[in-house]
Amino acid sequence: MSKQFIHSLVELFEASTYTLHNYANLNPFSVVSKVIFSVEQRFISILDILTEINYVSSIEEIARVEKLIYSRVLTFKVRWREGYPEIIKLLMRHGFRFGITKEEWLSSIKDNLMEYLEDFETFGIFMELDELIPNFISSEEKRYIQQNFIQIIESEQEHYLEEESDIDNINGYYDSLERLASFFDVDMTEEIDSLQERIKKIGRRYYRT
């Protein structure tokens, strides 16, 4: 595999956009689209591509990109935190061989997520990572996260019970709440029952129209 090709591929990491061509369409003026990806998504894409080829000669290039991603985690500049589990899965497949150790990655990701416990999505990321890496969070850390989870549910419930009217969004939240309540061992029976009633109410309103 050409080192120049690998270098050019990795250079896409810092591009502002990707330009995609659909060569199945014969009209060259209607097949171009620009897509903006976060740098975390780009890292996953690049590593996926290099996984499919003989990437031994590209380890130095991958390591350079990995350091940039890792530095963003350390400085809380990551915008796409839901990508953490996917990044860890990929690095596990490669044995964390590009320079940053497993322990360094997990510690930095955990510290990063702890700063965003006011975001409901963060709890789902913790759950995914703990399922992926057994004991990713200790019992003490889990209790701390649990207390924050209980606090954030109050505002989330208010939104989904009083403001949100899209039944798909409410169902998505309902499913997430059930899974997270089980994972964090929190009794959310009352909240879940309220959501069920909200879903039924919106359903009845929908079928009447």
Side-chain angles (χ1 to χ4, degrees):
M1 181 58 61
S2 165
K3 287 188 176 182
Q4 181 57 46
F5 168 78
I6 294 169
H7 179 74
S8 297
L9 178 64
V10 173
E11 287 302 305
L12 288 174
F13 176 76
E14 297 177 341
S16 58
T17 61
Y18 284 102
T19 300
L20 305 177
H21 295 263
N22 179 3
Y23 290 103
N25 191 323
L26 298 179
N27 183 348
F29 299 104
S30 63
V31 298
V32 178
S33 61
K34 291 186 177 181
V35 182
I36 299 176
F37 292 120
S38 71
V39 291
E40 298 77 39
Q41 289 169 303
R42 296 178 192 197
F43 178 56
I44 290 172
S45 297
I46 289 170
L47 197 50
D48 265 336
I49 293 170
L50 294 177
T51 297
E52 299 300 320
I53 63 178
N54 179 15
Y55 69 92
V56 174
S57 61
S58 65
I59 288 179
E60 288 184 5
E61 295 281 12
I62 297 173
R64 178 169 68 84
V65 176
E66 183 193 35
K67 286 179 181 178
L68 290 172
I69 293 290
Y70 182 70
S71 69
R72 291 173 65 84
V73 175
L74 286 176
T75 55
F76 303 155
K77 291 182 180 178
V78 175
R79 292 175 295 170
W80 192 55
R81 291 178 180 80
E82 60 269 30
Y84 282 162
E86 188 62 30
I87 289 175
I88 293 300
K89 281 181 190 176
L90 277 171
L91 292 172
M92 286 175 66
R93 280 169 52 193
H94 294 281
F96 293 89
R97 63 178 301 184
F98 305 117
I100 311 299
T101 68
K102 176 181 178 180
E103 291 72 23
E104 288 173 324
W105 266 111
L106 296 182
S107 176
S108 297
I109 284 177
K110 185 190 300 182
D111 289 345
N112 187 296
L113 289 174
M114 284 292 189
E115 295 294 319
Y116 294 92
L117 291 178
E118 73 277 7
D119 296 333
F120 180 76
E121 291 75 13
T122 298
F123 302 102
I125 301 171
F126 267 119
M127 181 177 67
E128 283 188 65
L129 286 167
D130 199 72
E131 291 172 348
L132 185 62
I133 307 287
N135 301 316
F136 171 67
I137 49 177
S138 66
S139 298
E140 183 178 347
E141 289 168 335
K142 193 170 186 177
R143 284 193 295 271
Y144 175 76
I145 298 169
Q146 179 192 70
Q147 293 306 309
N148 284 269
F149 174 68
I150 292 171
Q151 292 174 14
I152 202 68
I153 290 303
E154 183 176 343
S155 60
E156 291 291 321
Q157 282 288 110
E158 182 179 351
H159 170 72
Y160 284 98
L161 291 178
E162 299 179 12
E163 301 172 22
E164 182 61 66
S165 59
D166 188 306
I167 197 165
D168 290 334
N169 290 341
I170 299 173
N171 272 316
Y173 171 67
Y174 173 89
D175 292 339
S176 295
L177 182 60
E178 271 198 318
R179 294 180 63 220
L180 290 170
S182 175
F183 175 73
F184 288 112
D185 194 24
V186 177
D187 183 6
M188 289 285 166
T189 304
E190 183 178 341
E191 288 80 3
I192 289 171
D193 287 347
S194 297
L195 286 167
Q196 287 178 326
E197 287 302 314
R198 172 71 168 164
I199 291 168
K200 289 177 183 177
K201 183 177 180 180
I202 292 177
R204 289 193 294 268
R205 186 188 310 159
Y206 173 80
Y207 286 115
R208 282 200 301 266
T209 56

